[in-house]
């Protein structure tokens, strides 16, 4: 693994100033697809459902955005705006795997990572020693590594808190980064549109506009009491955010408690053999996920879920801690004995024990 900058002690001016980086991949699904099909790069490309089946745009490249195409737009409408649009189906497993690789790059800089979606995360690099503690240089290195190792681009925002870091990552998108230093916060927020504040949707923005409020600077003239009277619970948050204050921590990803996969069939399964081959297929998928999540040593229970054609759902489980994919076949037989109906859905899963409680149990046994 490549080493990061040098390992000198970070420069910290003020122990209360945090360094938060918000990273967001550019046109994520489209960038991954175009990395694998570079010939299409200069063409407008949308990822999503078929226009004939009321599909919608999940995302599109920046070339397609020039035609006014955007996420959540019906694909049929997108095609009307751009008849030569290339449409590609999403490949979620590919995006999940790229997302994990991006995460591995973040982990070279900090353990305090809060993923918000497959392509977006907050990083707290306040105590990182890489790049002599320069959050802007860390962001630059992360972006270079994502481009060189994974072939896609990512934008970053660097600021003393989550609110401003998220706004900053959008400032120079695509393939850019923007830093708001603690000294720049006051000047930055004064001119910032209230529409950039999370929680301020179009209805609240219109109400504010009617009250003569357009920027965070305008909001700063309002006393806390007035803001809460006028905007309810949002008021107190507005009072802080318009001054560039946001004390929310970067929350490290919750521990995994289970891993599962399931399929609902477009045609109900009528025979036990069909169910058995499906269970074998699902089991294979499940164990790939267990492997990727690195939790095979923490399995504590196996379960199978069957939904019959009359929508009755049954679950059968077995407590065991070894890796034994064959368990699901026995669980299937038990579940199928509970009804004569055809099968509409099959799910298989494993419970994952908490590492601490597993350790405590061991101590107890000793
Ligand atoms: N996505 C989706 N449906 C939506 C919005 C997004 O399926 N309504 C998916 C596709 C995107 C991914 O989530 O690629 C990430 O969402 P973003 O909002 O970050 O959008 P992009 O990464 O596509 O573009 P940008 O460059 O604006 O970040
Ligand atoms: Mg994105």
């Amino acid at each position: 693994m490549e080493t990061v900058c040098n390992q000198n002690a970070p420069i910290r001016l003020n122990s209360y100033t945090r360094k938060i980086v918000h990273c967001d991949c550019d046109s994520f699904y489209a960038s991954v697809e175009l990395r694998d099909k570079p010939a299409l790069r200069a063409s407008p490309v949308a990822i999503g459902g078929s226009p004939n089946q009321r599909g919608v745009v999940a995302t599109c490249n920046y070339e397609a955005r020039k035609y006014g195409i955007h996420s959540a737009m019906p694909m049929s409408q997108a095609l009307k705006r751009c008849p030569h649009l290339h449409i590609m189906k999403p490949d979620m497993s590919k995006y999940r795997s790229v997302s994990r690789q991006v995460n591995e790059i973040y982990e070279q800089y900090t353990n305090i990572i809060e993923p918000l979606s497959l392509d977006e995360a907050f990083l707290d690099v306040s105590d990182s020693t890489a790049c002599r503690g320069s959050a802007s240089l860390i962001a630059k290195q992360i972006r270079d590594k994502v481009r060189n190792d994974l072939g896609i681009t990512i934008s970053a925002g660097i600021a003393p808190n989550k609110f401003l870091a998220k706004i900053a990552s959008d400032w120079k998108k695509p393939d850019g980064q923007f830093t708001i230093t603690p000294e720049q916060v006051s000047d930055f927020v004064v001119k910032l549109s209230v529409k950039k504040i999370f929680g301020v949707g179009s209805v609240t923005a219109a109400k504010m506009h009617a009250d003569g409020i357009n920027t965070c600077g305008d909001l700063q003239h309002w006393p806390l009491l007035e803001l809460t009277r006028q905007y309810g619970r949002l008021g107190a948050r507005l009072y802080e955010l318009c001054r560039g204050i946001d004390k929310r921590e970067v929350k490290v990803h919750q521990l995994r408690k289970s891993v599962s996969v399931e399929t609902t069939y477009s045609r109900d399964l009528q025979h036990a053999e069909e169910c058995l081959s499906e269970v074998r297929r699902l089991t294979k998928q499940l164990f790939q996920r267990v492997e990727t999540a690195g939790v095979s040593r923490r399995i504590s229970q196996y379960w199978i879920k069957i939904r019959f054609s009359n929508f009755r759902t049954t679950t059968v489980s077995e407590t065991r801690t070894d890796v034994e994919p064959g368990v699901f076949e026995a669980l299937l037989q038990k579940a199928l004995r509970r009804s004569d109906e055809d099968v509409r859905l099959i799910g298989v899963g494993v419970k994952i024990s908490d590492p601490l409680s597993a350790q405590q149990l061991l101590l107890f046994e000793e």
Side-chain angles (χ1 to χ4, degrees):
M1 191 172 62
E2 218 179 313
T3 50
V4 287
C5 270
N6 68 45
Q7 300 290 312
N8 290 346
I11 304 160
R12 297 282 294 277
L13 293 172
N14 173 343
S15 58
Y16 295 104
T17 305
R18 291 180 299 156
K19 293 173 189 169
I20 311 296
V21 181
H22 178 257
C23 295
D24 186 333
C25 300
D26 305 316
S27 57
F28 183 50
Y29 297 0
S31 299
V32 174
E33 294 302 340
L34 291 176
R35 172 193 72 180
D36 302 339
K37 283 207 174 65
L40 283 178
R41 248 178 217 170
S43 316
V45 175
I47 315 299
S50 157
N52 310 321
Q53 290 166 338
R54 293 187 295 170
V56 292
V57 176
T59 194
C60 59
N61 64 348
Y62 279 74
E63 198 52 40
R65 294 184 196 194
K66 291 181 188 163
Y67 296 82
I69 299 170
H70 56 77
S71 294
M73 173 183 269
M75 194 60 91
S76 53
Q77 197 181 331
L79 257 187
K80 273 190 201 129
R81 291 192 179 203
C82 175
H84 58 293
L85 180 70
H86 279 273
I87 300 174
M88 298 172 83
K89 284 209 177 77
D91 180 347
M92 293 311 297
S93 63
K94 190 149 87 171
Y95 311 145
R96 267 195 290 271
S97 131
V98 176
S99 176
R100 272 194 295 272
Q101 290 173 305
V102 175
N103 227 62
E104 281 165 17
I105 293 177
Y106 300 153
E107 282 166 2
Q108 294 173 23
Y109 296 87
T110 179
N111 293 323
I112 312 175
I113 303 166
E114 178 180 347
L116 301 176
S117 66
L118 280 186
D119 86 322
E120 211 185 318
F122 282 117
L123 282 61
D124 186 330
V125 297
S126 307
D127 293 322
S128 296
T129 51
C131 305
R132 296 199 68 221
S134 160
S136 298
L137 281 180
I138 290 176
K140 178 78 176 66
Q141 278 202 356
I142 289 176
R143 294 180 42 244
D144 287 346
K145 285 190 188 197
V146 169
R147 182 192 297 103
N148 298 337
D149 301 355
L150 311 179
I152 61 167
T153 61
I154 185 164
S155 297
I158 304 99
N161 60 50
K162 284 165 118 179
F163 165 54
L164 294 172
K166 181 147 168 112
I167 292 173
S169 72
D170 218 27
W171 224 244
K172 290 281 161 75
K173 220 176 208 313
D175 197 15
Q177 69 179 65
F178 186 66
T179 302
I180 305 170
T181 64
E183 296 75 27
Q184 291 164 341
V185 169
S186 306
D187 287 345
F188 183 83
V189 289
V190 163
K191 288 169 273 175
L192 188 68
S193 163
V194 287
K195 290 185 195 153
K196 293 280 182 188
I197 302 179
F198 56 94
V200 177
S202 51
V203 177
T204 313
K207 187 168 182 278
M208 288 183 170
H209 189 63
D211 286 336
I213 303 169
N214 293 305
T215 62
C216 288
D218 298 334
L219 261 182
Q220 287 176 13
H221 297 302
W222 285 54
L224 176 61
L225 202 66
E226 274 302 304
L227 276 180
T228 40
R229 197 171 290 157
Q230 193 76 351
Y231 297 100
R233 278 172 54 194
L234 180 63
R237 212 163 74 211
L238 287 175
Y239 186 83
E240 294 205 325
L241 293 178
C242 75
R243 290 169 171 76
I245 301 167
D246 176 17
K247 298 189 187 113
R248 289 174 304 154
E249 301 277 322
V250 173
K251 289 200 199 95
V252 178
H253 205 31
Q254 295 264 310
L255 276 178
R256 234 178 211 286
K257 298 220 168 64
S258 69
V259 184
S260 64
V261 283
E262 65 174 44
T263 303
T264 302
Y265 300 99
S266 48
R267 177 187 60 80
D268 291 350
L269 307 182
Q270 297 177 322
H271 305 291
E273 302 86 69
E274 266 185 302
C275 295
L276 188 61
S277 81
E278 270 306 301
V279 163
R280 286 182 181 145
R281 183 182 68 82
L282 290 168
T283 304
K284 222 165 136 190
Q285 271 187 21
L286 175 75
F287 275 89
Q288 272 164 5
R289 289 196 191 174
V290 167
E291 273 309 310
T292 316
V295 292
S296 57
R297 289 164 63 93
R298 286 169 39 211
I299 291 175
S300 60
Q301 190 187 60
Y302 290 72
W303 53 262
I304 191 166
K305 176 171 92 177
I306 303 280
R307 182 163 300 141
F308 296 103
S309 50
N310 60 358
F311 280 87
R312 193 186 139 213
T313 305
T314 189
T315 305
V316 189
S317 62
E318 184 171 324
T319 301
R320 56 191 296 166
T321 52
D322 54 343
V323 176
E324 180 40 277
V327 170
F328 288 113
E329 295 179 21
L331 293 179
L332 172 73
Q333 306 307 340
K334 274 192 194 169
L336 289 181
R337 268 184 242 126
R338 293 181 177 175
S339 173
D340 293 331
E341 296 276 333
D342 295 343
V343 169
R344 191 185 152 73
L345 171 153
I346 303 180
V348 293
V350 286
K351 252 195 199 169
I352 307 297
S353 66
D354 181 90
L356 191 63
S357 67
Q359 201 182 0
Q360 279 165 345
L361 195 68
L362 206 69
L363 284 174
F364 212 60
E365 281 171 354
E366 277 170 359

